[in-house]
Amino acid sequence: MLKTPAYAAPSKTAPLGPLAIDRREPGPHDVLIDIRFCGVCHSDIHQVRDEWGGSIYPMVPGHEIVGTVARVGDGVTRWKAGDVVGVGCFVDSCRTCAACEGGEEQYCEKGMTPTYNGRERDGKTPTFGGYSTRITVNEDYVVRIPDGIPLEGAAPLLCAGITTYSPLRHFGVKAGDRVAIVGLGGLGHMGVKIAKAMGAHVTVLSHSPGKRDDALKLGADEFLATDDSAVFARNKNRFDFILDTVSATHDYNAYLRMLRLNGTMVLVGIPDPSPVSAGPLVSRRRRLAGSSIGGIRETQEMLDFCAEHGLQADVEVIAMDRINEAYERMLRSDVRYRFVIDTATIQGS
Ligand code: NAP
Ligand code: ZN
Ligand code: ZN
């Protein structure tokens, strides 16, 4: 076992603090990665606070991992020491179900193995995430960070990037489509950049009026502040596609009415439940869907797309011991636009 400095939540109420964890020695098909940066996703907060239920403690969060390969197992041919790589939200899956065979491991019928707050395929060994200095991962669940994307700006692509890219692609968003991104946080700001790079006309719907200038700088064509409820009536039947990244409970029906005939709204934010009425769906043959991250193949495609279009996340790099404060700021929607941990600041590293 490899003793590894990390940062963990001891319970759903205690602040995160240092913890030494064990990483496995790389097996024949494993890659040992020295983690350089790890993004901070709102899902880390949901899980640390057990808002989705079933959380496993101690929990080492973090699923936006970038670093360099330290060494590889004997059977590994695709990766070598020094390669710059990433690990996203899962580190394994069954590999044989229809979803896995179709390259959509995030929808594995037997359940993907989450990068943290889960168990390895043995059903016992807990998984620990990227708030740590190294990780051992099977070679098939690693992606390549293209040259030209700075590592701190690349880390958030492993979750925020793929979670917004995948539904935009799957639902066929194309040049000229009217796209609205709801919530300008980690996911939302990547949604703006990616939708814009796909040629869409992009509107940000935000409950933080102070983010207007940022939204336009990020590439949005328009900014609508949703703290003014008249916005909903004024913008009825407008959008082809709405991507909802909001982390807190809100009224989906109000947003659905902003879709035009045959429009689609996709939820990627995962707050507590909120009722959906039939009326807004029925009256304009609108669709409501959800989407979970993306598979390994699509994550690589997204990284290459970002490199080609010069996209990266806007980040605020923090020291590990600022994490509890970063969570508080995210809960106040005060993130511009992703916190990224510099793992060199983890005690004992
Ligand atoms: P984040 O950086 O904290 O951003 C969330 C944004 O939601 C905020 O910046 C804010 O934007 C908006 N918001 C927050 N509270 C609100 C409220 N009360 N009313 C209206 N808007 C509010 O979070 P994130 O990391 O982007 O994650 C967003 C959500 O996606 C989380 O629920 C997370 O768990 C989920 N997620 C899902 C997937 C997936 O695969 N589906 C993957 C990753 C994350 P404004 O200030 O602009 O309003
Ligand atoms: Zn995430
Ligand atoms: Zn599977």
Side-chain angles (χ1 to χ4, degrees):
M1 285 292 178
L2 303 163
K3 270 282 175 243
T4 300
Y7 233 65
S11 73
K12 69 177 182 182
T13 48
L16 280 78
L19 178 76
I21 56 168
D22 286 324
R23 294 296 192 190
R24 67 176 185 270
E25 285 284 352
H29 292 286
D30 283 339
V31 175
L32 177 66
I33 299 164
D34 285 332
I35 301 175
R36 192 59 199 88
F37 292 102
C38 182
V40 180
C41 179
H42 207 108
S43 303
D44 301 351
I45 305 180
H46 290 308
Q47 292 177 87
V48 160
R49 302 194 173 188
D50 199 21
E51 289 169 359
W52 296 340
S55 283
I56 303 166
Y57 301 95
M59 185 190 303
V60 177
H63 58 207
E64 293 185 338
I65 297 169
V66 293
T68 50
V69 173
R71 59 192 156 90
V72 300
D74 293 344
V76 174
T77 52
R78 281 166 52 216
W79 308 108
K80 60 175 187 330
D83 284 350
V84 180
V85 294
V87 177
C89 299
F90 55 91
V91 289
D92 212 341
S93 64
C94 88
R95 299 162 186 254
T96 57
C97 74
C100 286
E101 288 201 331
E104 298 197 303
E105 303 88 353
Q106 75 276 28
Y107 301 121
C108 175
E109 290 165 20
K110 302 217 169 85
M112 61 170 173
T113 302
T115 303
Y116 70 87
N117 192 27
R119 308 243 179 231
E120 297 284 0
R121 301 314 291 174
D122 65 8
K124 293 194 298 251
T125 315
T127 56
F128 294 123
Y131 297 9
S132 62
T133 58
R134 54 187 174 189
I135 188 169
T136 310
V137 181
N138 181 278
E139 60 175 331
D140 297 331
Y141 294 79
V142 173
V143 290
R144 190 175 301 281
I145 306 298
D147 291 342
I149 312 182
L151 292 196
E152 62 273 35
L157 303 179
L158 277 305
C159 176
I162 185 60
T163 302
T164 49
Y165 180 89
S166 182
L168 288 164
R169 272 273 180 266
H170 179 83
F171 291 95
V173 167
K174 56 188 188 312
D177 282 0
R178 291 191 168 269
V179 169
I181 306 288
V182 191
L184 196 62
L187 266 56
H189 96 290
M190 284 314 308
V192 170
K193 293 187 186 207
I194 293 170
K196 193 66 198 168
M198 291 175 175
H201 180 279
V202 179
T203 301
V204 169
L205 301 173
S206 166
H207 85 313
S208 306
K211 292 182 181 173
R212 177 181 298 275
D213 290 350
D214 284 355
L216 302 178
K217 263 188 238 144
L218 289 164
D221 298 286
E222 215 175 319
F223 178 92
L224 299 173
T226 52
D227 60 335
D228 170 9
S229 58
V231 154
F232 292 95
R234 271 204 303 270
N235 292 279
K236 267 190 180 164
N237 307 325
R238 253 201 83 185
F239 300 108
D240 298 293
F241 186 84
I242 298 178
L243 186 64
D244 186 331
T245 77
V246 173
S247 52
T249 305
H250 56 292
D251 178 18
Y252 296 127
N253 303 298
Y255 293 89
L256 282 170
R257 291 189 191 95
M258 290 202 256
L259 286 174
R260 58 204 285 186
L261 177 66
N262 299 325
T264 302
M265 172 154 131
V266 174
L267 308 181
V268 287
I270 316 174
D272 286 339
S274 168
V276 173
S277 304
L281 294 171
V282 169
S283 63
R284 292 283 186 287
R285 198 163 54 197
R286 297 171 174 124
R287 289 185 294 184
L288 177 62
S291 183
S292 174
I293 44 176
I296 295 293
R297 190 166 63 216
E298 194 174 43
T299 302
Q300 189 65 60
E301 177 189 305
M302 175 277 308
L303 288 166
D304 296 342
F305 176 91
C306 288
E308 188 188 324
H309 292 270
L311 308 183
Q312 57 171 296
D314 285 27
V315 303
E316 182 174 338
V317 175
I318 56 165
M320 187 72 256
D321 63 4
R322 306 298 290 276
I323 189 68
N324 295 298
E325 189 186 323
Y327 281 7
E328 291 307 322
R329 281 184 53 195
M330 286 167 74
L331 289 166
R332 293 197 300 269
S333 303
D334 177 22
V335 49
R336 302 254 183 320
Y337 277 89
R338 197 59 140 185
F339 292 111
V340 171
I341 298 157
D342 177 350
T343 58
T345 64
I346 298 179
Q347 275 174 41
S349 61

